[in-house]
């Protein structure tokens, strides 16, 4: 092992899915999985102590010195360096007119998000502080979700303040202990569980929201509303009487909203789970990417009382507990979707970690007056629910992040309003039947978003062409899967394939076979025979440019070549070092 490298080990369950989504089509410049923690400061930190505290924090935690390695590998790895230093920039805006300072910070946040991170370079953390005058300032800590989850943010901020103040801290525990625990769990039992959990679902169970009528001004959509303190108190009491948590109430609110929007009783959404096993000592004070997102499913029977239905969702969640260690990519590969689309288009995140700045601790010279977290997932819609303190007591805040390029803002507003209405109904009349809850949403099942390019065979390829292609593809599979030559009906994912390996398969098909294929098709046509037929059909289409499907294939190839040229010629300043 190199002197510069401290450790190398596999990815945790939640990391693989984020890496796959971060490398996927349309991810560049989207800001997906870039998390920005913005601290509102009163007073100014000492620059020398401030820099020293960040350096000490990075030195303490493996996750802050971690990069991801995936190119040319069957399974990606994370590499922990012995040393790393987070970039730090100080911006003095006091010479600007007062009215221009806040917009300058907002512009920085947008540029910083679009800049993203080079996941192969550590640390995946950078820092910036703004002087705004009058003793006011902003501190921005940006990190990539591939190495840190939301719970880690207050852990790290508390430790940074302690290090700044010179207070001693116990040694930090290595993240690899969590990875070792996850890899020691029963994978076969978890796969069997998820196949049964998601068996026989209809394509309509995964709702595809209608796209905007016109291109949005900005891609990141962010809406929020608060239940007032009295409503929040009543909601807590009603949930307690029903025997469910506030987090389950938020899930149920989103599930019923999806059911109304889609017109389907059977709904599937993603649920973010903390992934912090009690088997790990001091798990609540660890920093790293423990979080994982896995499917939840519910049947919204209109005759079922709301409180009873939420109890069923909680029971289902409890049954999933022993199987939460499986990465989403493996679940996706194991169960797929009948229409070949993505398994999840929305998710619910309940943030129950401490966010009150007063809980971070105090230091001499400056204070943290407020903290805000800005993030964006790769899903079209993500509902965040989090209790927060206000002048009149605890409030529950609902926040809906959405991709404005994929989701109409009016639909997003409707969805957020209806989710809040379900929670208000639980607080006021928990025995109300689901069909009697008055929501504004009418079924919006149409129009469904178009399928990915070339998501079905373009026609029957000559059998001779398929026969010539199959052994070459089989050799690629054997090499990537590091196994024996597969049979025609073998499934790529049953043989050990996973989401990130499909990216390598796509690259090898392009390089070795000269065929451009979309990643969703590699999931849909998962057997060797089906994939060979599809690739042969793509080749026939590409060789017949006068046919409409041939022209589509030519356009796809041209777009792919343009993306590769842009990536190869991007200026160094466009990448994070």
């Amino acid at each position: 092992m190199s002197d510069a490298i401290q450790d190398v080990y596999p990815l945790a369950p939640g990391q693989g899915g984020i890496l796959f989504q971060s490398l996927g089509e349309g991810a560049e410049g989207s800001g997906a999985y870039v998390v920005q923690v913005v601290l509102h400061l009163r007073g100014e930190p000492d620059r020398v102590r401030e820099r020293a505290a960040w350096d000490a924090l990075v030195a303490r935690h493996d996750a802050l010195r971690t990069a991801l390695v995936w190119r040319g590998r069957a399974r990606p790895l994370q590499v922990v360096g012995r040393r790393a230093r987070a970039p730090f920039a100080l911006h003095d805006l006091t010479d600007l007119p007062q009215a221009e300072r806040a917009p300058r910070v907002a512009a920085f946040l947008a540029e910083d998000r679009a800049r993203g991170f080079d996941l192969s370079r550590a640390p995946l953390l950078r820092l910036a502080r703004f002087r705004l005058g009058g003793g006011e300032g902003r501190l921005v800590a940006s990190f990539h979700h591939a190495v840190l989850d939301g719970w880690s943010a207050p852990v790290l901020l508390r430790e940074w303040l302690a290090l700044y103040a010179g207070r001693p801290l116990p040694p930090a525990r290595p993240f690899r202990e969590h990875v070792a625990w996850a890899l020691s769990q029963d994978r076969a039992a978890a796969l069997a569980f998820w196949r049964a959990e998601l068996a026989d679902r209809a394509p309509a169970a995964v709702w595809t929201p209608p796209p905007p009528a016109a291109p949005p001004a900005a891609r990141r959509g962010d809406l929020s509303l608060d239940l007032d303190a009295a409503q929040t108190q009543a909601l807590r009491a009603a949930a307690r009487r029903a025997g469910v948590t506030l987090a389950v109430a938020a899930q149920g609110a989103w599930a019923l909203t999806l059911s109304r929007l889609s017109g389907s009783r059977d709904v599937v959404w993603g649920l973010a789970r903390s992934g912090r096993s009690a088997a790990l000592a001091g798990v609540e004070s660890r920093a790293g990417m423990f979080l994982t997102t896995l499917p939840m499913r519910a049947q919204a029977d209109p005759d079922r009382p709301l409180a009873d239905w939420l109890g069923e969702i909680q029971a289902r969640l409890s049954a999933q507990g022993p199987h939460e260690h499986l990465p989403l990519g493996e679940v996706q590969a194991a169960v797929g979707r009948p229409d070949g689309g993505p398994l999840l288009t929305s998710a619910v995140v309940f943030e129950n970690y401490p966010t009150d700045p007063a809980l971070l601790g105090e230091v001499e010279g400056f204070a943290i007056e407020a903290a805000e977290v800005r993030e964006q997932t790769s899903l079209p819609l993500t509902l965040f629910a989090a209790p927060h303190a206000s002048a009149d007591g605890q409030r529950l805040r609902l926040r809906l992040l959405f991709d404005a390029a994929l989701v109409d803002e009016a639909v997003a507003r409707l969805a957020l309003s209806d989710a809040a209405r379900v929670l208000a109904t639980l607080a006021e009349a928990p025995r109300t039947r689901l069909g009697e809850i008055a929501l504004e949403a009418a079924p919006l099942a149409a129009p469904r978003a178009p399928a990915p390019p070339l998501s079905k065979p373009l026609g029957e390829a000559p059998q001779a062409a398929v026969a010539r292609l199959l052994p070459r593809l089989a050799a690629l599979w054997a090499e990537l899967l590091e196994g024996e030559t597969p049979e025609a009906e073998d499934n790529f994912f049953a043989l050990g394939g996973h989401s990130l390996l499909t990216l390598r398969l796509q690259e090898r098909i392009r390089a070795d076979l000269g065929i451009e294929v979309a990643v969703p098709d590699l999931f849909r046509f998962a057997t060797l025979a089906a994939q060979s037929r599809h690739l042969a059909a793509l080749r026939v289409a590409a060789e017949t440019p006068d046919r409409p499907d041939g022209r589509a294939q030519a356009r796809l190839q041209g777009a792919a070549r343009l993306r590769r040229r842009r990536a190869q010629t991007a200026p160094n300043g466009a990448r994070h070092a």
Side-chain angles (χ1 to χ4, degrees), residues 11-209:
L11 303 190
Q15 291 179 298
I18 288 180
L19 176 58
F20 176 72
Q21 296 292 343
S22 298
L23 299 175
E25 187 72 26
E28 184 179 356
S30 70
Y33 298 114
V34 174
V35 182
Q36 298 167 312
V37 180
V38 184
L39 303 180
H40 296 232
L41 305 181
R42 175 62 58 183
E44 184 172 357
D46 176 84
R47 287 198 64 184
V48 174
R49 293 168 64 189
E50 177 183 30
R51 174 80 262 190
W54 285 117
D55 289 347
L57 190 70
V58 172
R60 274 178 55 77
H61 290 282
D62 294 355
L64 297 180
R65 304 190 309 280
T66 292
L68 306 186
V69 178
W70 66 92
R71 295 184 181 92
R73 296 182 178 275
R75 289 195 175 272
L77 299 170
Q78 48 192 325
V79 178
V80 182
R82 294 190 185 280
R83 291 170 296 279
R85 201 171 199 228
F88 184 97
L90 181 63
H91 303 270
D92 191 340
L93 305 184
T94 55
D95 289 339
L96 293 177
Q98 181 74 32
E100 295 181 17
R101 297 172 191 174
R104 182 67 65 88
V105 175
F108 169 85
L109 291 171
E111 293 166 4
D112 178 70
R113 173 176 300 282
R115 177 184 176 188
F117 286 90
D118 179 350
L119 297 181
S120 65
R121 302 283 296 275
L124 299 180
L125 167 73
R126 56 177 172 256
L127 309 155
R129 182 158 60 81
F130 292 82
R131 290 187 178 128
L132 301 179
E136 186 180 0
R138 297 288 184 272
L139 176 62
V140 181
S142 303
F143 62 86
H144 199 280
H145 215 343
V147 293
L148 294 172
D149 58 17
W151 187 284
S152 299
V155 170
L156 294 174
L157 289 174
R158 280 195 301 270
E159 291 191 358
W160 175 67
L161 290 173
L163 292 166
Y164 180 91
R167 295 193 292 267
L169 293 171
R173 296 179 180 272
F175 183 65
R176 73 167 302 142
E177 292 180 356
H178 167 66
V179 176
W181 171 84
L183 294 178
S184 70
Q185 305 306 298
D186 191 335
R187 177 178 177 273
L191 281 171
F193 171 85
W194 286 108
R195 288 191 185 103
E197 185 80 346
L198 297 168
D200 302 323
R201 72 200 175 286
V206 183
W207 179 58
T208 301

Side-chain angles (χ1 to χ4, degrees), residues 248-262:
V248 166
Q251 292 172 52
W254 186 246
L256 188 57
T257 298
L258 289 181
S259 177
R260 293 292 180 86
L261 287 168
S262 65

Side-chain angles (χ1 to χ4, degrees), residues 380-402:
L381 292 153
T382 304
L383 178 70
F384 289 80
H388 72 100
S390 66
D392 58 350
Q394 280 276 322
R395 292 176 173 231
L396 182 68
R397 173 163 296 165
L398 299 180
R399 184 178 174 205
L400 188 63
L401 298 185
F402 64 98

Side-chain angles (χ1 to χ4, degrees), residues 235-236 238-257 267 269-273 296-298 305-321 324 347-352 383-387 396 398 419 422-424 426-427 434:
L235 177 62
R236 286 186 182 278
R240 190 164 47 248
R241 289 192 297 271
V244 301
T245 65
L246 206 57
V248 166
Q251 292 172 52
W254 186 246
L256 188 57
T257 298
V267 289
W269 70 99
L271 171 63
R273 295 150 164 91
M296 279 292 294
R297 184 183 186 185
L306 175 59
D308 294 352
W309 183 62
L310 292 176
E312 294 170 4
I313 292 177
Q314 179 145 313
R316 193 159 202 160
L317 177 61
S318 298
Q320 292 180 358
E324 292 180 355
V348 176
V349 181
F350 190 84
E351 297 178 326
N352 59 350
L383 178 70
F384 289 80
L396 182 68
L398 299 180
V422 176
L423 292 175
L426 176 62
L434 299 184

